[in-house]
Amino acid sequence: MQIERVLGNLIFHSRWLAAPFYVGLALGLALLLVNFIMQFLSLAAAIVHSGESEVILGILGLIDLTFAANLVLIVIFSGYENFVSRIDVGQRTRPIWMAKIDFNGMKQKLMTSIVAISAIQVLKGFMNLAQIDNSKMAWLLGIHAVFLISMLVVVISDRIGEPLEHPTEASEQKSKR
């Protein structure tokens, strides 16, 4: 029984091996910020000589980076809270979704972000239609359709596998009776 307890503790505490991955993602978020600032400064410097479509494409690039940053944040916060440990910060600064998102919610948010990033790439393609060939545009649309269908499959499978009521709700209802 002692070996079983030691083994259980070892496995339980091994979750901390994932913590450096989340620190690495936070550093990756800093790299995204540097890229965002560089793209913003480049767009701002060229604004006088840019046409409407170049400005829109530049802003779509910034939106794309923002969605990617949101995607990284979702993975960091939700992954750390679901698999490593609770993040104990003051209630005023804690995003409200952190306490409510589970693994299924994280998958759905990830897929939604990926679909949004893909949609921006398709929009960039449409905005730049004169410089893009038909096969590249077809690939952009096809990949976007695959991501969209994948998101729908994830949502449908989560809904099918979802219990009718949360276990804590069932126990609360029993205690009220």
Side-chain angles (χ1 to χ4, degrees):
M1 298 325 149
Q2 181 68 13
I3 293 173
E4 186 178 345
R5 188 175 335 168
V6 169
L7 188 58
N9 279 331
L10 179 65
I11 291 171
F12 178 73
H13 291 294
S14 71
R15 72 189 193 279
W16 287 100
L17 294 173
F21 291 95
Y22 297 111
V23 172
L25 285 176
L27 294 173
L29 189 61
L31 295 176
L32 273 175
L33 174 62
V34 170
N35 192 306
F36 181 92
I37 291 170
M38 289 172 39
Q39 282 192 27
F40 177 81
L41 292 175
S42 175
L43 178 63
I47 194 74
V48 175
H49 306 291
S50 298
E52 180 183 2
S53 62
E54 289 93 9
V55 173
I56 292 172
L57 285 170
I59 291 172
L60 286 174
L62 296 176
I63 292 170
D64 204 17
L65 285 171
T66 302
F67 279 145
N70 290 342
L71 184 65
V72 172
L73 280 174
I74 290 168
V75 172
I76 292 171
F77 286 162
S78 184
Y80 188 88
E81 284 236 333
N82 279 307
F83 302 113
V84 180
S85 181
R86 278 189 47 87
I87 298 173
D88 192 19
V89 294
Q91 294 292 26
R92 296 177 80 207
T93 59
R94 184 182 177 86
I96 196 157
W97 61 266
M98 275 180 64
K100 296 179 180 178
I101 191 168
D102 60 358
F103 187 67
N104 288 336
M106 182 174 70
K107 285 189 306 187
Q108 289 179 17
K109 285 188 180 302
L110 284 170
M111 288 304 300
T112 303
S113 295
I114 290 169
V115 168
I117 290 168
S118 173
I120 288 175
Q121 293 303 317
V122 171
L123 186 56
K124 281 182 180 178
F126 279 126
M127 294 291 300
N128 210 9
L129 213 47
Q131 286 84 23
I132 194 169
D133 62 5
N134 289 342
S135 73
K136 185 173 181 183
M137 196 64 209
W139 274 105
L140 284 173
L141 288 169
I143 291 169
H144 180 66
V146 167
F147 285 145
L148 189 59
I149 291 167
S150 297
M151 182 183 73
L152 292 173
V153 168
V154 166
V155 169
I156 291 168
S157 66
D158 286 347
R159 294 287 187 255
I160 291 171
E162 187 175 88
L164 294 177
E165 60 182 26
H166 195 274
T168 56
E169 291 173 356
S171 64
E172 287 174 5
Q173 288 178 357
K174 287 180 184 176
S175 66
K176 288 180 182 178
R177 291 180 193 165

